[in-house]
Amino acid sequence: MAWSERIKMKSKIKWVALAGLVLSFTSILVHLFLAKSSAGLVMYSGVTAFTEDLTHFDGPIRKGAGYRRLWGRVNALDHLQPYANPRSTPYLVPNKQNNGFIYAKIHGGFEKIRTSICDLVAVARLLNATLVIPEIQQSLQSKGVSSSFKSFSYLYDEEHFVDALASDVIVVKSLPSQLMEGRKQKQYPVFKPKRSSSPKFYLQEVLPKLKSAKVIGLILNDGGGLQPILPSSLVEYQRLRLQGSGQPYIAYNPGLKRETLAYHGCAELFQDIHTELIQYRRAQMIKQGLVVEELSVDSYARKGNGSCPLMPEEVGLLLRAMGYPPRTRIYLAGSETFGGQRVLIPLRAMYANLVDRTSLCSKQELANVIGWENQLPTDSYVFPAKKSAKQPKEDWKRAGPRPRPLPPPPDRPIYGHEREGWYGWILEKDSEPDPSPNDLRDQAHRLLWDALDYIVSLKADAFFPGFDNDGSGSADFSSLVMGHRLFDMASTRTYRPDRKYITELLNTTSDHIYRPPRNWTLAVREHLNKSMGEDGIMKGFRRVKPKSFLSHPLPECLCTTIKRADLKQLQKSSKYKTIYEGQDECPNGIARAGPRESSDEDTEAQEDETDTDIIESDESSQAETIPSMEQDEEMDPDD
């Protein structure tokens, strides 16, 4: 009897064990199914949620105190309005009996193209000439772009361009046929003006040749052909350069371009092969005379003085300090982010709703922007001839000093995957290969993507630049956007961070950068809030205006809605003194900024904004100082 009971007990144990195995296997299958399903949910939270939040919906957007603190207009700039119309008399309408025709070739990326076109319009008016629609070389160099576009029309609407300038400059699509033959035979004088050429250069050297030959050519390589600040007698030509509902979002341009990083000596901020790629481009710029410094410089010192872009991780920390929640919508603008997705990982970890045009547009929508294109042969990498066993050692001995990091030692094999990609040449030879047909077409596409991102950045509720040329070079993407936003609506939230000060702030809390002390967060808020108002604009006036008028079209292209009778009283307040004292009063036709509409949300209980209230009320405080990290306990910026 005892023996049979033991047999039955063992059988029960076996059945229980078998049931446990079945349940475990079922649990594994369920987990695998959930993991596969959650991948789609992650994509939804980062992309679909962003697009749905941007679509229109009937419900009102809740605009409480916290909303206004992060997305509201800058009160001190409410009275600035765009006004680029002629203000002096007489301002004669152009006529066909002018001095002749100007045709132009424009080289460079989107920023240089936009700057050059604005300057060409002003030059044509200055010389009383007819402007032939400029030729954009970046789109002409690629034979594989859509045949639907021709040079200028690749980016701009030709008909709109002609009509918009009808009262200021006569614009034609091409030279008359009798003059076109002379251009083909190179009978007309051609000038290559510098970016900072003065009106005197055009009036004394170019105008006589124009009157004589009736046609001249201009080749613009450096982004623009006219000095940023013009004499007061030519103020109308300044204004001529600028004529022309969903959830809120931030547009962010990292400014991480290979050209920029090479020019300013920021190679060591990256790792591995990216450092060598930047240094190679810097060596080229030294040979071309664009850089007059040494090849190797201390990149961290350059970053310390504000010459290098803020990294995406640092921008994420600044936005957290400002109080933007993790689900804030951030649009990544700019066709190039050097370093790729790797440098964006920390920012994406802080803000999952980080998207770009490829996330928000389908492939078909982007293809419609490009137009139909011929199929080009795929770029194929040709492996170099195999070297003998002794050759790598000899090459290593003769290599000499090279930028860090050093290439691999000769006894280590170079695998195929390391050679693939456009950067593979750097492991095998010292010169960058010529661009392939696909590379040229990609360069032309970048013009379209930059133009698309430019429009999105203009309409953003807030704009944050990772880098802008503060007077040290030609206008870049961020500085053009900032200048255009200042012109369109000065009171929109456009951050103008001082990178030198921000770097010092970041260095003080580097040991606990993700949980900084409370006083560090207040210092960031104070600086960024001030950068949107008078402080940021006046710093831009001193640093940017002498190099790029389009980045700072104040005071020529804006007016104030404050009446002169009231201005004297308002100027007693420091926030009005500098901005409005030299500004013309807007005519009656310009909408005047009045008091904001009251709403139910204005009467709601105020959120925890004590920190911000202190900052905004301290506009007359002394120069910014770096807070001591021992002054306060840590705080969570998301609180």
Side-chain angles (χ1 to χ4, degrees):
M1 186 70 180
W3 175 255
S4 61
E5 289 180 356
R6 284 199 296 270
I7 295 294
K8 291 180 180 180
M9 181 63 67
K10 288 182 180 181
S11 299
K12 291 180 180 179
I13 293 175
K14 289 180 180 180
W15 280 108
V16 171
L18 180 61
L21 289 175
V22 171
L23 290 175
S24 299
F25 183 73
T26 305
S27 176
I28 292 174
L29 291 178
V30 171
H31 277 82
L32 289 175
F33 173 78
L34 291 176
K36 184 176 181 180
S37 301
S38 65
L41 295 176
V42 171
M43 181 173 293
Y44 172 85
S45 65
V47 177
T48 310
F50 187 100
T51 57
E52 288 184 356
D53 287 337
L54 291 181
T55 57
H56 177 74
F57 61 96
D58 296 330
I61 300 176
R62 186 179 178 85
K63 297 183 179 180
Y67 180 96
R68 293 192 301 273
R69 179 171 68 84
L70 296 177
W71 303 105
R73 297 181 302 181
V74 181
N75 292 334
L77 304 180
D78 263 344
H79 297 282
L80 283 176
Q81 301 294 324
Y83 184 52
N85 296 335
R87 304 176 201 176
S88 64
T89 55
Y91 187 75
L92 301 177
V93 176
N95 58 78
K96 294 183 179 180
Q97 303 300 322
N98 54 31
N99 293 321
F101 295 85
I102 296 177
Y103 70 88
K105 295 182 178 181
I106 303 176
H107 296 266
F110 174 78
E111 300 87 0
K112 292 185 177 181
I113 291 171
R114 185 173 180 84
T115 306
S116 299
I117 291 174
C118 294
D119 285 0
L120 278 174
V121 172
V123 168
R125 176 72 193 191
L126 177 66
L127 300 182
N128 189 25
T130 296
L131 177 65
V132 180
I133 285 185
E135 301 170 3
I136 298 176
Q137 300 303 299
Q138 193 81 309
S139 60
L140 290 176
Q141 289 174 355
S142 175
K143 305 301 181 183
V145 298
S146 174
S147 58
S148 304
F149 307 105
K150 293 182 179 178
S151 185
F152 187 85
S153 63
Y154 195 71
L155 282 180
Y156 299 96
D157 184 334
E158 291 185 354
E159 299 296 337
H160 177 74
F161 184 72
V162 174
D163 294 341
L165 295 170
S167 60
D168 298 286
V169 177
I170 297 177
V171 182
V172 296
K173 294 186 177 182
S174 62
L175 284 172
S177 56
Q178 66 271 21
L179 298 176
M180 183 64 75
E181 189 63 30
R183 179 186 173 182
K184 293 179 180 178
Q185 297 177 5
K186 300 182 179 180
Q187 296 178 358
Y188 307 129
V190 177
F191 296 87
K192 296 182 179 180
K194 297 180 180 178
R195 184 177 67 244
S196 57
S197 297
S198 66
K200 184 178 179 181
F201 164 77
Y202 288 99
L203 294 174
Q204 293 186 358
E205 298 188 32
V206 179
L207 183 57
K209 297 288 183 68
L210 174 62
K211 290 181 176 180
S212 174
K214 293 303 179 184
V215 179
I216 64 164
L218 297 178
I219 298 178
L220 304 180
N221 292 310
D222 203 18
L226 187 62
Q227 67 185 37
I229 301 179
L230 298 180
S232 57
S233 60
L234 299 177
V235 67
E236 305 302 345
Y237 301 96
Q238 289 289 67
R239 294 165 186 156
L240 184 57
R241 283 167 156 176
L242 265 177
Q243 196 167 10
S245 72
Q247 293 292 318
Y249 67 96
I250 299 174
Y252 161 55
N253 176 237
L256 295 173
K257 301 184 71 173
R258 187 182 174 199
E259 293 277 334
T260 302
L261 297 165
Y263 182 86
H264 293 283
C266 307
E268 293 180 0
L269 302 183
F270 291 81
Q271 299 174 359
D272 52 65
I273 202 169
H274 292 89
T275 298
E276 293 196 51
L277 290 169
I278 296 172
Q279 287 295 82
Y280 178 82
R281 183 69 189 105
R282 182 172 172 83
Q284 285 182 315
M285 300 175 84
I286 292 175
K287 291 179 181 179
Q288 297 169 359
L290 301 176
V291 174
V292 293
E293 301 173 323
E294 296 293 330
L295 175 62
S296 297
V297 295
D298 188 344
S299 298
Y300 296 98
R302 292 297 174 93
K303 185 174 176 63
N305 64 25
S307 297
C308 294
L310 295 172
M311 299 301 285
E313 179 184 15
E314 297 168 339
V315 172
L317 294 170
L318 297 176
L319 295 178
R320 282 185 55 178
M322 285 297 294
Y324 288 100
R327 281 186 56 81
T328 298
R329 299 121 188 116
I330 300 179
Y331 183 85
L332 186 70
S335 61
E336 178 186 353
T337 301
F338 193 77
Q341 292 297 318
R342 179 174 63 86
V343 300
L344 296 172
I345 290 175
L347 177 60
R348 199 178 298 278
M350 287 182 269
Y351 291 97
N353 282 347
L354 175 67
V355 298
D356 58 14
R357 62 192 170 277
T358 61
S359 303
L360 300 180
C361 301
S362 66
K363 292 183 178 180
Q364 185 58 47
E365 289 172 327
L366 295 176
N368 292 339
V369 175
I370 295 173
W372 186 86
E373 296 177 334
N374 292 322
Q375 187 71 28
L376 293 177
T378 305
D379 297 339
S380 57
Y381 181 81
V382 179
F383 288 94
K386 189 174 182 180
K387 297 180 180 180
S388 64
K390 295 182 179 179
Q391 188 64 34
K393 295 182 179 179
E394 295 297 326
D395 292 344
W396 177 264
K397 293 177 182 178
R398 293 194 303 265
R402 298 185 65 181
R404 291 184 294 158
L406 291 173
D411 58 342
R412 176 186 176 279
I414 305 296
Y415 299 101
H417 70 274
E418 296 178 301
R419 292 190 175 96
E420 295 174 359
W422 70 272
Y423 50 80
W425 57 270
I426 204 165
L427 293 172
E428 300 293 342
K429 51 186 179 180
D430 295 326
S431 60
E432 190 166 354
D434 294 331
S436 67
N438 281 293
D439 292 333
L440 292 175
R441 187 155 74 177
D442 289 342
Q443 291 174 11
H445 289 174
R446 290 193 191 104
L447 300 180
L448 294 173
W449 307 145
D450 280 335
L452 178 63
D453 290 352
Y454 188 87
I455 296 172
V456 176
S457 299
L458 287 183
K459 303 300 181 182
D461 299 88
F463 179 74
F464 198 104
F467 180 82
D468 64 284
N469 266 334
D470 51 0
S472 57
S474 59
D476 62 338
F477 185 94
S478 289
S479 61
L480 287 178
V481 169
M482 293 161 70
H484 202 152
R485 286 171 65 90
L486 176 62
F487 171 73
D488 270 352
M489 184 177 288
S491 60
T492 51
R493 301 181 72 86
T494 303
Y495 293 100
R496 303 175 182 89
D498 183 335
R499 293 188 301 278
K500 179 179 179 180
Y501 178 75
I502 290 296
T503 301
E504 293 174 355
L505 272 178
L506 291 167
N507 289 340
T508 60
T509 186
S510 58
D511 292 338
H512 34 77
I513 199 165
Y514 277 90
R515 294 192 65 85
R518 183 183 183 87
N519 61 315
W520 183 90
T521 302
L522 294 180
V524 171
R525 291 184 181 180
E526 180 179 19
H527 173 74
L528 292 180
N529 282 329
K530 284 185 175 181
S531 75
M532 292 184 290
E534 178 184 350
D535 286 5
I537 289 180
M538 294 316 299
K539 284 182 180 179
F541 180 82
R542 292 189 293 268
R543 297 181 300 152
V544 180
K545 182 71 174 287
K547 293 290 184 181
S548 175
F549 163 77
L550 294 177
S551 303
H552 202 281
L554 183 76
E556 295 93 332
C557 293
L558 290 94
C559 60
T560 177
T561 58
I562 301 176
K563 295 182 178 179
R564 292 191 181 279
D566 301 330
L567 186 58
K568 292 182 180 179
Q569 295 295 326
L570 291 173
Q571 283 178 352
K572 295 179 181 179
S573 173
S574 62
K575 69 179 180 180
Y576 292 104
K577 183 176 180 181
T578 310
I579 296 295
Y580 297 115
E581 61 182 355
Q583 207 67 44
D584 292 340
E585 184 178 347
C586 292
N588 293 330
I590 301 296
R592 296 181 178 274
R596 295 191 178 185
E597 298 180 359
S598 60
S599 60
D600 295 338
E601 288 86 353
D602 294 336
T603 60
E604 291 179 356
Q606 295 294 316
E607 299 180 13
D608 185 15
E609 290 188 306
T610 307
D611 302 337
T612 308
D613 293 337
I614 295 174
I615 293 171
E616 293 179 348
S617 64
D618 192 23
E619 293 186 354
S620 59
S621 62
Q622 301 296 321
E624 295 168 310
T625 56
I626 305 299
S628 169
M629 292 300 101
E630 299 178 356
Q631 292 176 4
D632 209 341
E633 71 279 2
E634 293 183 355
M635 69 170 292
D636 187 349
D638 296 331
D639 287 345

